[in-house]
Amino acid sequence: LQQRRGLRLSAPAAIQVTVRDALNQALDEELERDERVFLLGEEVAQYDGAYKISRGLWKKYGDKRVIDTPISEMGFAGIAVGAAMVWLRPVCEFMTFNFSMQAIDQVINSAAKTCYMSAGSIAVPIVFRGPNGASAGVAAQHSQCFAAWYGHCPGLKVVSPWSAEDAKGLLKASIRDDNPVVMLESELLYGVPFEMSEQAQSKEFVIPIGKAKIEKQGTHVTLVAHSRPVGHCLEAAAVLSKEGVECEVINLRTIRPMDIETVEASVVKTNHLVTVEGGWPQFGVGAEICARIMEGPAFNYLDAPAVRVTGADVPMPYAKILEDNCIPQVKDIIFAVKKALNI
């Protein structure tokens, strides 16, 4: 009626959504969309999830779709992999990916390799998800980043979201994918609100696995990061912009398969590269990016060696001041950029 009267209707505006709520939306929408999807893990049902990611889902979908498990990662990961082999679509939550090492045989030897070893006759459409990397004050055994660990293994897809849109779009794409996907989230981002576009509010919104996003255009240096360090890179870029240095910030989004083409195109434009990650330096994600750039056509466009910003090469200390010095900070990124640009 308003349209007939010639009134202009405004499109739904972008809204603020936390990463926690974005993940909850994705799970809710995919559980509703496909009856083969189910969620299992420690405290995911009656307790609404250790981080409240699955809040309200058990009451809505019941015991068969949202399943509390014993504290046995090897056991419930094995159940999930077996279910995926018969074309259910399990979402297996690890309370933290540090505990996924209890189930690493199931993830690597059972999930990742089965499609290849069965000559393509057995797919394993499963998602392993949960918080990854350092949280706050949880010490060495709970602070490892598994991006390089799982990114090393053929047969897996590995995604690492930063924003609420990343979280929703990548989780939905991962659930719909016919391959095993490892989704590495950041506990420290769960409560952080991000703007979610009208498009991302759709139930059919997915982000293609294997495609990076340029969060900020720039001309002087390329910053490549994933997960929480993307935010640090944007903060560093804002500071450096006031000094006349324009950084191009790339949100990697996917660790495997890696969108090296987007990074190459940016390096060709800026002639400088800095990688940022929370994981350890040796054999890390940044090391892989640097190697791929060196081996490819973009190497000839570099005006200076690439610089890596990583976590410290030590087990994570418990003391806060030491922990802060083990995790890449904005000041570390600014220092690395100035080093790359020789300023």
Side-chain angles (χ1 to χ4, degrees), residues 245-326:
V245 176
E246 294 301 327
C247 303
E248 182 144 295
V249 179
I250 297 178
N251 174 8
L252 205 55
R253 281 180 166 174
T254 304
I255 308 301
R256 186 184 185 103
M258 185 177 287
D259 183 6
I260 203 66
E261 292 80 11
T262 294
V263 180
E264 284 179 335
S266 180
V267 170
V268 167
K269 178 171 67 172
T270 68
N271 311 118
H272 297 88
L273 172 64
V274 174
T275 66
V276 186
E277 63 188 305
W280 292 313
Q282 191 157 319
F283 313 115
V285 175
E288 175 66 17
I289 294 169
C290 291
R292 300 275 285 274
I293 292 298
M294 187 190 74
E295 293 167 350
F299 174 73
N300 294 313
Y301 290 85
L302 280 175
D303 287 343
V307 179
R308 291 182 294 155
V309 180
T310 72
D313 196 21
V314 297
M316 183 64 72
Y318 172 71
K320 186 178 188 307
I321 189 168
L322 296 177
E323 180 182 65
D324 289 344
N325 280 280
C326 282

Side-chain angles (χ1 to χ4, degrees), residues 221-241:
V221 61
T222 299
L223 297 178
V224 186
H226 65 94
S227 191
R228 189 166 173 254
V230 174
H232 295 340
C233 288
L234 289 170
E235 290 180 45
V239 173
L240 288 161
S241 182

Side-chain angles (χ1 to χ4, degrees), residues 89-112:
R89 292 186 174 271
V91 179
C92 178
E93 177 179 305
F94 293 123
M95 195 176 288
T96 155
F97 261 94
N98 298 276
F99 303 154
S100 75
M101 284 193 287
Q102 300 290 328
I104 202 161
D105 183 61
Q106 307 286 8
V107 178
I108 302 297
N109 283 327
S110 296

Side-chain angles (χ1 to χ4, degrees), residues 4 76 95 107 118 140-141 175 206-207 292 297:
R4 287 180 181 178
F76 68 74
M95 195 176 288
V107 178
S118 66
Q141 294 175 333
I175 292 171
V206 294
I207 291 173
R292 300 275 285 274

